[in-house]
Amino acid sequence: MSSLKQQFTVSFRYDVHFTTSLFDPSNRLFADVISSNQETELNQTIKKVLFVLDKGLIDHHPELFDEVQLYSKKYSDTFEVISQPVLIPGGETAKNNPEYTELILSATHKNGIDRHSYVVVVGGGSVIDTAGYAAAIAHRGIRLIRVPTTVLAQNDAAIGVKNGINAFGKKNFLGTFVPPFAVINDSEFLKTLSERDWRSGISEAVKVALLKDPAFFDFIEQHSTALSQRDMAAMQHLIHRCAQLHLEHILNSGDPFESGSSRPLDFGHWAAHKLEQLTGFELRHGEAVAIGLALDVTYSYLNGNIKESEWNRILNVLQQCGFSIFVPELYSKPDDPMDKGSLLHGLEEFREHLGGRLTIMLLGDIGKGIEVHTVDTGLYQKAIHLLEKKEKELV
């Protein structure tokens, strides 16, 4: 018997940029990002760029692709834009229907988009996830530039290394871990968001603040009214700090591609993902995350991990930011956790998605998470009752 052993390290780098009016010809950022890799390449040809656009975004920015084409004319020595973008719907529709992944793959094939070309996706988190998955599997990886246009995408979904689509009734069942080439956040896109989409991304900032940064949670608490009233300066700070904490976690977690059974930044997500399913994706992801956070925070309080004052403080912040912390679907089949229609079955789905034993994050203090491997489903039922009561108090 003999063995050949192999071990090597691959270094990844990608930058997250913050700007306004990205495709204004006076703004060189996009062209500079495209050209940033050319110095090290033998192939110095003008790069092909395929755009994937969120249909919902185009409703508010119908001139967007015209602006892209005008921009490309000024920087024609750097890149050329494929004449027609791929348009796919936003929200979970993009991830639920494999037809949209196929559309992107077909466009890369027909237009000769290769590993030295770029796919640029402009849209919300679901469109970014879908385009990222398609780019990752075409030619085993086409460079992807993400231009997120929602709060949730700018501070969370577009920042990490995950791409995925839904399959077999499960969220993100198909996916890859591939870092983007770059992320470019343009705050101008936030101005046309609906109230729900503006608010939705705040929950991910609350999540990361609860896990990693008490001072950031203080900021959200102090600016909760301003955030709910669409104060741009407060939102820009929230997005920047949340993205920074997310990137630091990827760098320092020791498991950026989640080969283990732990995923700390999915605090509150086991219930959130299940609630999205149970409501037929009527809940936005961020809205579901807010409820999932409220549920796990309440469980942490009932379990003796956090004080009542902390519990009240966290729920008040979520409510002040405009979130509901209860929906009737929380009561779905509470006595039968193994029924796929039960909210509590989300625990098993979460375990299966990660592999290994159940590992979820609870709260030990504001700024400190605690991983657990077993839970008391009866205590979760009590937590649901408490959330219903708390929600009625606000009304």
Side-chain angles (χ1 to χ4, degrees):
M1 176 180 175
S2 64
S3 300
L4 296 174
K5 296 184 178 181
Q6 169 75 295
Q7 180 175 340
F8 61 90
T9 300
V10 179
S11 177
F12 290 99
R13 171 183 172 172
Y14 61 97
D15 295 333
V16 178
H17 305 276
F18 299 85
T19 191
T20 57
S21 301
L22 176 61
F23 297 113
D24 186 313
S26 65
N27 188 341
R28 287 193 54 89
L29 176 61
F30 184 81
D32 287 344
V33 168
I34 293 288
S35 63
S36 63
N37 202 53
Q38 292 188 8
E39 296 176 0
T40 60
E41 292 183 352
L42 295 176
N43 182 0
Q44 299 288 320
T45 58
I46 295 169
K47 303 304 178 187
K48 287 185 177 181
V49 178
L50 172 68
F51 274 79
V52 178
L53 304 179
D54 188 323
K55 281 184 179 179
L57 175 69
I58 297 304
D59 291 340
H60 295 287
H61 300 271
E63 75 294 342
L64 177 61
F65 196 64
D66 291 336
E67 292 176 358
V68 168
Q69 290 179 310
L70 286 173
Y71 185 94
S72 70
K73 288 180 181 179
K74 178 168 183 178
Y75 300 99
S76 59
D77 59 336
T78 302
F79 69 95
E80 63 170 319
V81 175
I82 300 304
S83 60
Q84 292 300 318
V86 179
L87 299 178
I88 62 176
E92 291 298 311
T93 300
K95 297 176 67 167
N96 284 333
N97 192 337
E99 166 191 344
Y100 299 115
T101 301
E102 291 295 326
L103 274 178
I104 300 168
L105 292 172
S106 177
T108 63
H109 163 64
K110 290 178 180 178
N111 293 289
I113 302 299
D114 59 28
R115 293 171 62 85
H116 292 274
S117 304
Y118 294 82
V119 171
V120 178
V121 55
V122 187
S126 293
V127 172
I128 285 173
D129 274 356
T130 304
Y133 176 64
I137 62 176
H139 295 300
R140 301 191 184 100
I142 297 171
R143 295 171 184 160
L144 178 75
I145 296 176
R146 298 170 176 163
V147 183
T149 59
T150 66
V151 174
L152 183 64
Q154 290 193 3
N155 71 3
D156 185 90
I159 301 300
V161 299
K162 294 181 285 189
N163 310 282
I165 61 173
N166 306 333
F168 305 106
K170 297 176 181 178
K171 192 173 176 74
N172 298 322
F173 183 80
L174 301 177
T176 62
F177 290 103
V178 180
F181 183 80
V183 181
I184 308 176
N185 284 343
D186 183 347
S187 59
E188 285 294 311
F189 288 119
L190 305 181
K191 294 180 178 179
T192 56
L193 292 177
S194 69
E195 293 297 326
R196 289 181 72 184
D197 286 328
W198 172 277
R199 179 177 61 245
S200 188
I202 298 174
S203 62
E204 295 285 1
V206 174
K207 172 202 72 178
V208 75
L210 287 174
L211 294 180
K212 294 181 175 292
D213 190 348
F216 186 33
F217 184 79
D218 291 344
F219 170 85
I220 298 172
E221 183 176 41
Q222 293 161 11
H223 293 81
S224 58
T225 300
L227 287 165
S228 66
Q229 294 177 353
R230 301 180 73 107
D231 182 280
M232 183 60 78
M235 182 58 81
Q236 286 175 323
H237 178 83
L238 178 142
I239 288 171
H240 190 280
R241 182 57 179 152
C242 186
Q244 184 179 33
L245 288 167
H246 198 134
L247 289 172
E248 289 174 359
H249 174 81
I250 293 170
L251 175 64
N252 299 316
S253 68
D255 189 20
F257 296 150
E258 298 174 4
S259 58
S261 299
S262 173
R263 195 156 67 182
L265 288 187
D266 271 357
F267 177 41
H269 280 55
W270 74 264
H273 288 169
K274 194 64 183 177
L275 284 172
E276 288 180 86
Q277 294 177 23
L278 293 173
T279 62
F281 295 97
E282 173 61 28
L283 277 179
R284 301 282 204 280
H285 178 68
E287 294 168 337
V289 167
I291 297 169
L293 289 175
L295 180 61
D296 280 348
V297 166
T298 302
Y299 183 94
S300 298
Y301 158 60
L302 292 175
N303 204 32
N305 291 340
I306 62 172
K307 299 175 183 177
E308 183 177 6
S309 59
E310 294 173 326
W311 171 66
N312 276 310
R313 185 183 173 199
I314 295 165
L315 294 193
N316 286 340
V317 166
L318 288 170
Q319 291 176 315
Q320 288 164 11
C321 287
F323 290 108
S324 295
I325 57 173
F326 173 84
V327 289
E329 284 80 5
L330 285 167
Y331 280 125
S332 296
K333 302 181 178 179
D335 297 324
D336 190 3
M338 296 313 294
D339 188 306
K340 291 184 178 180
S342 170
L343 171 78
L344 294 173
H345 193 261
L347 289 163
E348 171 57 22
E349 292 177 3
F350 192 73
R351 183 207 64 76
E352 178 187 323
H353 187 62
L354 290 176
R357 61 178 175 170
L358 175 68
T359 304
I360 66 168
M361 182 66 68
L362 296 176
L363 203 62
D365 200 351
I366 293 176
K368 179 184 177 183
I370 298 175
E371 287 188 347
V372 301
H373 304 291
T374 60
V375 298
D376 181 342
T377 56
L379 203 60
Y380 264 119
Q381 292 179 37
K382 291 181 181 179
I384 292 168
H385 286 293
L386 266 182
L387 285 182
E388 182 180 26
K389 181 180 178 182
K390 190 77 171 177
E391 180 85 346
K392 289 179 178 177
E393 287 176 3
L394 180 66
V395 177

